[in-house]
Amino acid sequence: MSTSPYPVNGGRLWETLHSLAEIGATPAGGVARVALTDEDRAGRDQFVAWVQEVGCSVHVDQMGNVFARREGTDPLRAPVVVGSHLDSQPTGGKYDGAYGVMVGLEVLRVLHDHDVSTAAPIEVVSWTNEEGARFPPAMIGSGVYAGAFSLNEGLAAPGVDGTTLGGELARIGYAGDEPCGAPDGAGRRPIGHYIEPHIEQGPILEAAEVTLGTVTGVQGIRWYDVLIEGQSAHAGSTPMEHRADAMVAAARLVCEADEIAARRAPEGRATVGTLSAGAGSRNTVAGSVSLTVDLRHPDAAELEAMHDELLAFADGPAFGPQSPSGRSIPRPQITPIWYSPPIVFDPVVVDAVRAGATAAGFEPVDITSGAGHDACYVSMVAPTGMLFIPCADGLSHNEAESILPQHARAGAQATLNAVLSLAD
Ligand code: HGY
Ligand code: MN
Ligand code: MN
């Protein structure tokens, strides 16, 4: 039984989620609002229009992070902030990121509907480039905000398409003038408490038939770029022992990355999500292959061991001269490009999320996030927590991503309850 003072409007939230999903909609039912594309701009513009309808001021910082602000009664209080991201994977789902920002919007709408005063201001933020698909690594917008990257690093981040993050930010008109991040923290908007509602993107809540998850932390993540340089050659006239086949080397590395994670089941994760061959011709031996590796584990020492095993394999006998065949397999060059350590969220915010879910009439379970989120970086500079709702079959980063309206509403009610408890 809910004891919430102000009910959220589940129908309005559901309608808003699907109105937003029309922006960048794909024929297969997902969305493509890749960071800083015209579709991302359109999603940002829509968010700005919606928050202005409920009287919020809008603030855009130098990394294009967009903050909607509802004033509080105590000018000395830092805001309670709800947020996530509006950019998506190239073949993303309707709810990854969007759910958290739209829950924030629903919180603002309910407070506006009931003319509720809170001591602390309430803000809703949409972070730039959470996905990292176009401008690796992930979460650069919140990363610069938190001081994990300098502003120059963030703006200069090269896109996989030859653009730069800063150039595209200016092109879409979201290169804001509010300071973003600074080693001493002077150059960032204050956050009193941060809550990120999100879909679980995994199967745990749905399998347990639980509606709400209190996220206590996030597993560690390591990203790598890999280049393998062999020699392109004729597929027919080149004997096997005369080849330096980069694709064979890539295949060996992909299988070993998978084994490194499998040896640490069920927590270990390894993914090779991109692989491209230089010439890309069926009758030319691949002279060069580039690929990416994503390793994850909730335990920092285990993730370090996975890292060591990957690098040791690349240095080992699977590559170079092979006996007795006598042929040579080109050796991968592995470049670590990003490390996000395992995160433990702030107990005050975690308790507020858990209490908010209980007040909404649910029995939340504690859960660790398998996916990275902007909350990882925000937790470096402000008390932070997250709330999960289930998604069908645990599917995400997939156009078939789906949630239930009752779960969407439950997460919004729990978030509103938590925000009100932290804001007064
Ligand atoms: O990669 C991640 O975990 C996040 O979805 N960007
Ligand atoms: Mn996300
Ligand atoms: Mn994502």
Side-chain angles (χ1 to χ4, degrees):
M1 176 60 188
S2 169
T3 59
S4 307
Y6 303 106
V8 297
N9 183 329
R12 174 172 63 187
L13 171 61
W14 194 251
E15 185 196 326
T16 302
L17 274 167
H18 293 90
S19 174
L20 178 69
E22 288 171 18
I23 300 174
T26 61
V31 296
R33 284 199 306 268
V34 175
L36 309 186
T37 59
D38 291 343
E39 291 76 18
D40 184 23
R41 167 172 46 192
R44 288 160 170 262
D45 291 349
Q46 178 62 83
F47 170 57
V48 166
W50 276 331
V51 296
Q52 288 177 330
E53 286 172 2
V54 289
C56 290
S57 57
V58 176
H59 311 264
V60 182
D61 72 17
Q62 295 161 311
M63 279 297 291
N65 300 313
V66 182
F67 297 81
R69 180 178 172 88
R70 185 174 194 272
E71 292 305 335
T73 57
D74 180 347
L76 300 179
R77 286 284 300 269
V80 176
V81 181
V82 178
S84 194
H85 59 93
L86 292 175
D87 69 301
S88 78
Q89 286 285 324
T91 53
K94 297 185 185 79
Y95 310 102
D96 174 4
Y99 175 69
V101 181
M102 294 303 100
V103 163
L105 172 63
E106 178 58 24
V107 166
L108 292 171
R109 284 171 166 173
V110 173
L111 298 179
H112 183 262
D113 291 346
H114 298 272
D115 195 19
V116 176
S117 293
T118 55
I122 308 298
E123 292 190 0
V124 177
V125 61
S126 171
W127 299 104
T128 292
N129 188 55
E130 188 280 341
E131 293 293 356
R134 183 182 183 195
F135 300 101
M139 294 103 88
I140 290 187
S142 53
V144 171
Y145 171 86
F149 308 105
S150 72
L151 177 61
N152 289 338
E153 283 174 315
L155 294 175
V160 296
D161 54 5
T163 60
T164 62
L165 189 149
E168 286 295 280
L169 203 54
R171 185 185 68 82
I172 67 168
Y174 276 91
D177 48 18
E178 288 238 351
C180 177
D184 57 7
R188 67 169 72 93
R189 293 178 62 80
I191 292 180
H193 299 90
Y194 177 73
I195 299 177
E196 182 160 355
H198 206 285
I199 59 173
E200 180 200 333
Q201 300 180 294
I204 296 169
L205 293 179
E206 185 184 56
E209 296 182 351
V210 169
T211 297
L212 296 175
T214 306
V215 187
T216 55
V218 182
Q219 69 178 339
I221 305 174
R222 284 183 178 274
W223 278 10
Y224 306 83
D225 284 343
V226 181
L227 177 62
I228 304 171
E229 293 185 304
Q231 186 180 54
S232 56
H234 195 293
S237 53
T238 311
M240 298 307 279
E241 66 274 17
H242 287 187
R243 297 181 179 204
D245 189 334
M247 190 64 84
V248 171
R252 291 186 176 187
L253 190 69
V254 170
C255 291
E256 180 59 18
D258 184 65
E259 281 302 317
I260 288 171
R263 289 196 286 271
R264 292 170 172 82
E267 292 92 353
R269 305 277 194 282
T271 308
V272 175
T274 68
L275 183 149
S276 64
S281 164
R282 68 179 63 221
N283 54 350
T284 295
V285 174
S288 73
V289 170
S290 55
L291 57 93
T292 57
V293 180
D294 176 319
L295 298 180
R296 307 204 188 193
H297 200 287
D299 179 277
E302 282 298 318
L303 185 56
E304 183 76 20
M306 293 169 77
H307 168 84
D308 293 342
E309 286 175 25
L310 182 73
L311 268 55
F313 181 73
D315 285 343
F319 307 97
Q322 304 293 302
S323 57
S325 71
R327 62 187 183 135
S328 179
I329 308 294
R331 196 172 291 284
Q333 302 157 51
I334 299 184
T335 307
I337 66 160
W338 182 45
Y339 173 53
S340 178
I343 301 286
V344 176
F345 285 140
D346 177 86
V348 168
V349 184
V350 171
D351 288 348
V353 168
R354 189 181 292 114
T358 307
F362 298 92
E363 292 179 15
V365 297
D366 288 3
I367 185 170
T368 298
S369 175
H373 301 283
D374 292 306
C376 295
Y377 281 129
V378 179
S379 72
M380 290 167 58
V381 294
T384 293
M386 292 186 73
L387 171 85
F388 275 173
I389 65 168
C391 54
D393 302 324
L395 208 51
S396 184
H397 287 195
N398 184 306
E399 292 167 287
E401 186 181 273
S402 74
I403 62 174
L404 296 175
Q406 59 268 34
H407 290 164
R409 194 203 64 76
Q413 189 64 65
T415 301
L416 173 61
N417 296 343
V419 165
L420 289 173
S421 72
L422 292 168
D424 282 327

